[in-house]
Amino acid sequence: MTTAPVQVPLDITTLGDLPAAERDPALAAVSAALEGKPAGEIAAWAASTFGADIIVAASMQDVILPHLFAQVAPGVEVLFLQTGYHFAETLRTRDVAARTLSITVVEAVPRQNLAEQDAEHGEKLHDRDPNLCCFLRKVDPLARSLDGRGAWVTGVRRIEAPTRAHTAIVSWDDKHDLVKVNPLVTWSDEDVEAYQVTHDLPRNALVAQGYPSIGCAPCTRKVSPGEDPRAGRWSGNNRTECGIHT
Ligand code: SF4
């Protein structure tokens, strides 16, 4: 069922030209007006506000965001960062989502394939310099994919990490020069589970196997019961973010 957009006006035609001192308060007001609204209404607002200029990022740990936007913007572009290091289960989830939802999967591809990267930087760059590896395989491809867009959507949730605790629903993304929309910021793990059950969504099989936060295979491990869900990402060093949200 299609969700009617909530009425929160935003003039996107001049947004990019405004000085930060005007632009950021305008977006903060929009964000405040959307706070507490259901994710489906936020998605409908974003789709109606940005039209074809929006793209939805999905890690394929779950397919909640693609499903949400497929309801309000059939055929919506869904961006998948194809690092070349994904688990087979993640790629299967992407394929099932592409087949069963009204979405168009777009892959952000690094400039070099893995063989070329290994030739230039040596094998297992992720073990020696994960910052550079994430830049080459995630940060740079994402930046190129967002170039010229009006807004992108992410599934960031405030409870996921201290670095995400104050994430706004709508904000200006300085790094990429466009609006960032986070419809799921207030969701708990129970909300995630309830949405998947209600809509009988395809699941990434790794979650049930002890992987509550899934990234590239070389940088993701299982976590023990009670352990921080993101402890399995870049385990063994102080890294908690790949750089696309910071
Ligand atoms: S998560 Fe690991 S393998 Fe993936 S891009 Fe970052 S450092 Fe490389």
Side-chain angles (χ1 to χ4, degrees):
M1 191 170 68
T2 302
T3 306
V6 285
Q7 296 303 312
V8 183
L10 178 66
D11 182 1
I12 60 168
T13 58
T14 57
L15 204 57
D17 298 325
L18 290 178
E22 290 179 40
R23 182 199 62 214
D24 292 351
L27 290 174
V30 168
S31 197
L34 293 173
E35 192 76 38
K37 301 289 185 195
E41 291 187 24
I42 297 170
W45 170 84
S48 69
T49 301
F50 295 100
D53 282 345
I54 204 164
I55 193 160
V56 178
S59 68
M60 299 299 170
Q61 171 163 325
D62 60 61
V63 300
I64 291 171
L65 271 188
H67 181 267
L68 264 178
F69 276 80
Q71 312 308 303
V72 298
V76 66
E77 289 184 279
V78 170
L79 184 65
F80 179 68
L81 299 183
Q82 179 48 282
T83 64
Y85 280 123
H86 286 294
F87 289 100
E89 290 85 347
T90 300
L91 300 179
R92 267 198 292 279
T93 306
R94 173 204 60 188
D95 293 344
V96 172
R99 208 168 53 239
T100 59
L101 302 178
S102 180
I103 60 173
T104 305
V105 174
V106 176
E107 291 204 329
V109 181
R111 295 175 199 263
Q112 295 180 316
N113 63 32
L114 290 178
E116 290 167 341
Q117 178 173 301
D118 287 353
E120 180 170 344
H121 299 283
E123 291 185 2
K124 298 189 177 181
L125 182 63
H126 44 74
D127 287 352
R128 294 176 286 106
D129 191 346
N131 286 339
L132 178 58
C133 187
C134 272
F135 175 80
L136 295 172
R137 311 212 73 73
K138 289 184 173 182
V139 176
D140 175 61
L142 174 68
R144 287 186 284 115
S145 298
L146 296 184
D147 189 30
R149 297 274 176 179
W152 70 304
V153 183
T154 88
V156 166
R157 296 187 291 133
R158 290 174 183 154
I159 63 158
E160 288 172 325
T163 50
R164 302 181 175 190
H166 303 292
T167 303
I169 295 173
V170 179
S171 61
W172 186 257
D173 181 340
D174 277 318
K175 185 191 277 186
H176 301 108
D177 227 20
L178 80 175
V179 173
K180 189 174 183 181
V181 184
N182 304 299
L184 310 182
V185 280
T186 61
W187 281 29
S188 64
D189 293 343
E190 291 72 26
D191 293 329
V192 169
E193 179 61 19
Y195 190 92
Q196 295 188 106
V197 170
T198 300
H199 298 283
D200 194 21
L201 296 187
R203 293 171 183 256
N204 188 318
L206 290 174
V207 176
Q209 295 171 28
Y211 294 83
S213 180
I214 303 167
C216 295
C219 301
T220 305
R221 67 159 172 81
K222 283 186 183 182
V223 301
S224 306
E227 204 177 1
D228 182 331
R230 283 184 70 83
R233 303 290 296 279
W234 301 285
S235 184
N237 68 45
N238 290 329
R239 216 153 188 272
T240 57
E241 299 278 359
C242 63
I244 65 174
H245 295 302
T246 52

